[in-house]
Amino acid sequence: MPKIIYGGQSYECDEGSVLDCLTAHGVAVPSSCRSGVCQTCLMRVTEGEVPEKARAGLKPTLAAQNYFLACSCYPEKDIEVALPEAGLGRLEAKVARVEYLNADILGIRLKPSRTFEYKAGQFINLFKDEATARSYSLASVPALEEELFLNVRKVPGGLVSGWAFADIKAGDTLTISEASGDCFYVPGQPEQNILLIATGSGLAPLYGIIRDALLNEHHGKLSLYHGSYNADGFYLVDELRRLAQAHPNFEYVPCISDGEASVGYASGMVLDVALADNPDLSGWRVFLCGNPNMVNAAKQQTFFAGASMRDIFADPF
Ligand SMILES: Cc1cc2nc3c(=O)[nH]c(=O)nc-3n(C[C@H](O)[C@H](O)[C@H](O)COP(=O)(O)OP(=O)(O)OC[C@H]3O[C@@H](n4cnc5c(N)ncnc54)[C@H](O)[C@@H]3O)c2cc1C
């Protein structure tokens, strides 16, 4: 009879699902439909393997992080499991370099004090002090660079971004969390077209995702649209133009929403431009990051243009 190990305790799983077993033993696992639809009972397997059926309907990014649905999981062998929020560990990281990417966005490169596993596009929490932390996306790609790369936008009156701009310097030691989030590239469908839309520092995760996809020899279209009021809001422009020159399947379209656009820029709201260029998104994967109004509208409109909800990944911030 397989055992389920949870929180250091071992439970025999005689008949039912992982959810049945744990709740019968008084473990509080959130659940609702109990039939694999609502995904409330999401858990993570930390040791061993769960049957494929326990991942049915999950986004590939969640499956890739060993998440499964406790209500649909009938284990065949011993497994150790945890709730998803069971603590992101903390670690120290040394600031290797700080640079202005434009007047409002600070690039911070960090060297973690120990092995740090992540996927480009996930986020970490940066601690200003014990009680104050904010999330920042990872623009770096583990296989391409040793340092973590953050893009922090200056928020007027912002506690953590204000501190980053005023105080963080090379040589400092900061506290960060392990990486989390499901906004990243999963290899396996190299021919799928991918649309990526960002405003402001929403470019950070997408810069990581694009380079990760290219590294994995993605050969479907990779179309990146970055929106700003004016040309001053863009950053990493040379790097992105160089990537576009080197990879014919990658297209970079900076969009100016206020006023006339000069050569090399599109004119209009980033979402409008992206959808006018790509009206049929059936079968596409979509990544949306940045301003919550843009991201929420884009989620709806890319879905109406044919993208499946399962293929839409979004980080509004
Ligand atoms: C998953 C995730 C990933 C993120 N990745 C990044 C990233 O890569 N780069 C980045 O710059 N930020 C990112 N953010 C946003 C970041 O976590 C902070 O919310 C942001 O830096 C503001 O924090 P603060 O302490 O400076 O401001 P706060 O002290 O929290 O807020 C100060 C004031 O600004 C307002 N405010 C807060 N956030 C914003 C905002 N984003 N825009 C406008 N006004 C705001 C608040 O309502 C408040 O009035 C991410 C957020 C999430 C959830």
Side-chain angles (χ1 to χ4, degrees):
M1 191 178 304
K3 288 194 189 65
I4 299 172
I5 300 154
Y6 172 83
Q9 299 281 326
S10 173
Y11 304 102
E12 294 212 331
C13 190
D14 29 25
E15 271 176 24
S17 65
V18 169
L19 180 62
D20 296 332
C21 171
L22 291 178
T23 48
H25 287 95
V27 177
V29 179
S31 69
S32 180
C33 77
R34 302 183 84 94
S35 57
V37 178
C38 73
Q39 304 196 353
T40 310
C41 63
L42 196 68
M43 293 192 83
R44 197 145 78 95
V45 59
T46 52
E47 201 65 61
E49 286 199 11
V50 297
E52 205 40 51
K53 200 168 163 255
R55 302 189 203 280
L58 279 192
K59 283 195 170 190
T61 45
L62 289 175
Q65 295 175 91
N66 296 327
Y67 284 103
F68 69 96
L69 298 175
C71 73
S72 322
C73 182
Y74 295 81
E76 285 144 16
K77 294 187 181 148
D78 295 356
I79 50 171
E80 187 172 325
V81 300
L83 285 171
E85 65 271 22
L88 288 177
R90 291 190 199 181
L91 65 152
E92 291 190 336
K94 196 158 187 165
V95 180
R97 192 166 156 207
V98 179
E99 66 192 311
Y100 278 88
L101 300 174
N102 69 26
D104 286 325
I105 297 190
L106 201 62
I108 303 178
R109 292 184 193 270
L110 298 173
K111 215 166 169 177
S113 58
R114 59 171 165 85
T115 313
F116 188 86
E117 283 188 16
Y118 72 100
K119 301 206 166 48
Q122 287 192 301
F123 64 87
I124 52 128
N125 295 319
L126 171 64
F127 289 82
K128 176 176 180 286
D129 52 52
E130 190 54 35
T132 319
R134 300 285 185 269
S135 308
Y136 294 99
S137 308
L138 291 157
S140 41
V141 180
L144 292 179
E145 53 228 308
E146 259 182 54
E147 291 156 0
L148 310 180
F149 182 35
L150 310 182
N151 305 168
V152 179
R153 186 172 70 89
K154 192 190 270 175
V155 171
L159 217 53
V160 175
S161 63
W163 162 70
F165 273 75
D167 289 339
I168 292 181
K169 56 188 183 313
D172 287 354
T173 300
L174 305 177
T175 303
I176 61 172
S177 73
E178 288 167 345
S180 182
D182 75 345
C183 203
F184 59 85
Y185 176 78
V186 178
Q189 287 179 276
E191 70 299 333
Q192 188 178 28
N193 292 329
I194 303 184
L195 176 66
L196 310 103
I197 309 179
T199 58
S201 54
L203 180 64
L206 304 190
Y207 185 57
I209 288 167
I210 286 158
R211 291 182 305 138
D212 199 15
L214 291 170
L215 189 71
N216 278 282
E217 298 183 350
H218 194 89
H219 51 256
K221 261 193 186 181
L222 283 163
S223 299
L224 168 68
Y225 292 80
H226 189 201
S228 170
Y229 294 116
N230 55 44
D232 296 341
F234 298 113
Y235 67 99
L236 296 173
V237 175
D238 293 343
E239 289 83 346
L240 288 163
R241 290 208 197 280
R242 268 199 299 274
L243 271 183
Q245 261 177 2
H247 300 274
N249 62 326
F250 171 54
E251 171 190 35
Y252 165 56
V253 187
C255 305
I256 292 182
S257 61
D258 198 12
E260 277 301 296
S262 49
V263 178
Y265 296 86
S267 174
M269 302 294 282
V270 65
L271 177 56
D272 298 342
V273 179
L275 288 172
D277 288 354
N278 305 285
D280 181 1
L281 297 176
S282 316
W284 285 57
R285 208 181 310 182
V286 176
F287 291 95
L288 308 165
C289 296
N291 182 293
N293 293 333
M294 185 285 285
V295 168
N296 292 330
K299 254 192 198 171
Q300 270 199 351
Q301 293 188 34
T302 52
F303 172 68
F304 290 142
S308 150
M309 267 302 162
R310 197 168 172 269
D311 279 333
I312 301 177
F313 301 90
D315 265 344
F317 55 80

